[in-house]
């Protein structure tokens, strides 16, 4: 057996080991969070923890429903804003724009992607929150501080915008030029070519990119903590405050040792976030398999 064959086999085993280790890390994280959550699960049923809204640790009341609702409100709004914007931006950059436009847009997207989340939080606090309070909210409610679901959704949508644009551009750029030329040669317009060739061919990748953006949004902490108001209530509109799970953990982790079950409750919150992201990714895999089979 030659040295090259041995080298290839060794490389394959190393990569298999690293892949298996990555899987073990995910499993270990889930088990660790669950073990830390056991005390709160012994005191309260899962149904009560997930469906009640009272969050009063001093009275041993731990209702996680407002935090789950806040997480989903902000995530759905952020994706609803960022997804069409990033998709149309990527289509323009790959299908319609000139090279001079790309020369200036790509570096700007890289800068946005590299900014720390606290910068987005400060921008949201100084710009978005006052704008909502003074310009938007008066048309719908008597008073709003501006620290709302809407503020969190806007800030998070800007945060994930460069990620989605870069992923979509990469997907669209990998579509062979021959496919576009064949569509145009058959009499299709540029938009028809984009719609029926580029978008259809990259649909599985677009689903995966969207899932990645949603996972990033659900786990964002600092920016959300700074602009969402952090009130343990169930939002009824975009102009209500909210309290996503990452902000709950970040705000209260330093106080967890002062009360019984506090640490376990926060670990259960982290476990919930872990499960939500995991189940969402598994669901996306099912969707991807269905899309690819069709």
């Amino acid at each position: 057996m030659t040295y090259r064959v041995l080298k290839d086999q060794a490389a394959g085993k190393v990569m298999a080991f690293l892949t298996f280790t990555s899987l073990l890390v995910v499993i270990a994280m889930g088990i660790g969070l669950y073990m830390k959550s056991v005390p709160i699960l012994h005191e309260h049923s899962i149904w009560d923890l997930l469906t009640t809204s009272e969050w009063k640790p001093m009275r041993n009341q731990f209702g996680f429903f407002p935090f789950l609702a806040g997480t989903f409100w902000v995530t759905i709004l952020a994706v609803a804003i960022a997804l069409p914007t990033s998709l149309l931006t990527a289509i323009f950059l790959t299908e319609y724009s000139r090279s001079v436009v790309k020369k200036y847009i790509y570096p700007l997207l890289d800068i946005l992607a590299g900014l720390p989340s606290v910068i987005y939080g400060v921008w949201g606090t100084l710009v978005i929150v006052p704008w909502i309070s003074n310009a938007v909210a008066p048309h719908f409610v008597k008073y709003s501080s501006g620290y709302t679901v809407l503020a969190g959704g806007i800030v998070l949508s800007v945060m994930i915008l460069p990620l989605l644009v870069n992923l979509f551009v990469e997907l669209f750029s990998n579509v062979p030029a021959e496919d576009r030329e064949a569509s145009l040669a058959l009499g299709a317009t540029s938009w028809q070519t984009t719609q029926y060739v580029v978008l259809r061919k990259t649909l599985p990748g677009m689903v995966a990119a969207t899932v990645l953006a949603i996972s990033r949004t659900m786990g964002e902490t600092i920016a959300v903590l700074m602009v969402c108001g952090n009130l343990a209530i169930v939002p009824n509109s975009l102009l209500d405050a909210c309290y996503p799970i990452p902000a709950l953990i970040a705000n209260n982790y330093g106080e967890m040792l002062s009360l019984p079950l506090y640490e376990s409750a926060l670990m259960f919150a982290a476990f919930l976030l872990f499960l939500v992201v995991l189940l969402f990714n598994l669901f996306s895999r099912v969707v991807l398999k269905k899309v690819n089979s069709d």
Side-chain angles (χ1 to χ4, degrees), residues 60-82:
N60 198 25
Q61 295 178 344
F62 299 95
F64 285 91
F65 185 68
F67 309 108
L68 288 170
T71 301
F72 284 111
W73 267 84
V74 171
T75 300
I76 292 172
L77 178 61
V79 174
I81 296 173

Side-chain angles (χ1 to χ4, degrees), residues 39-53:
I40 193 71
L41 294 175
H42 283 167
E43 291 286 333
H44 304 277
S45 68
I46 295 180
W47 178 257
D48 289 339
L49 291 172
L50 297 181
T51 58
T52 57
S53 300

Side-chain angles (χ1 to χ4, degrees), residues 25-169:
V25 169
V26 176
I27 295 174
M29 288 177 60
I31 294 175
L33 290 174
Y34 173 75
M35 295 302 295
K36 287 288 187 178
S37 305
V38 167
I40 193 71
L41 294 175
H42 283 167
E43 291 286 333
H44 304 277
S45 68
I46 295 180
W47 178 257
D48 289 339
L49 291 172
L50 297 181
T51 58
T52 57
S53 300
E54 293 295 327
W55 180 261
K56 297 178 180 178
M58 295 291 292
R59 300 181 182 178
N60 198 25
Q61 295 178 344
F62 299 95
F64 285 91
F65 185 68
F67 309 108
L68 288 170
T71 301
F72 284 111
W73 267 84
V74 171
T75 300
I76 292 172
L77 178 61
V79 174
I81 296 173
L83 184 58
T85 305
S86 58
L87 180 59
L88 294 176
T89 301
I91 290 174
F92 171 74
L93 290 174
T94 55
E95 306 298 322
Y96 297 96
S97 68
R98 298 180 180 179
S99 57
V100 65
V101 176
K102 300 176 184 178
K103 179 180 178 181
Y104 292 102
I105 294 296
Y106 287 156
L108 291 177
L109 291 174
D110 292 337
I111 292 174
L112 284 177
L115 287 177
S117 58
V118 67
I119 301 298
Y120 288 98
V122 171
W123 168 73
T125 302
L126 297 179
V127 178
I128 301 301
V129 169
W131 173 70
I132 292 175
S133 178
N134 299 324
V136 177
H139 296 287
F140 303 96
V141 295
K142 291 183 179 180
Y143 170 77
S144 174
S145 65
Y147 294 92
T148 58
V149 173
L150 181 59
I154 292 174
V155 171
L156 284 182
S157 68
V158 176
M159 289 186 66
I160 65 175
L161 186 66
L163 172 65
L164 282 173
V165 171
N166 285 326
L167 290 173
F168 288 157
V169 166

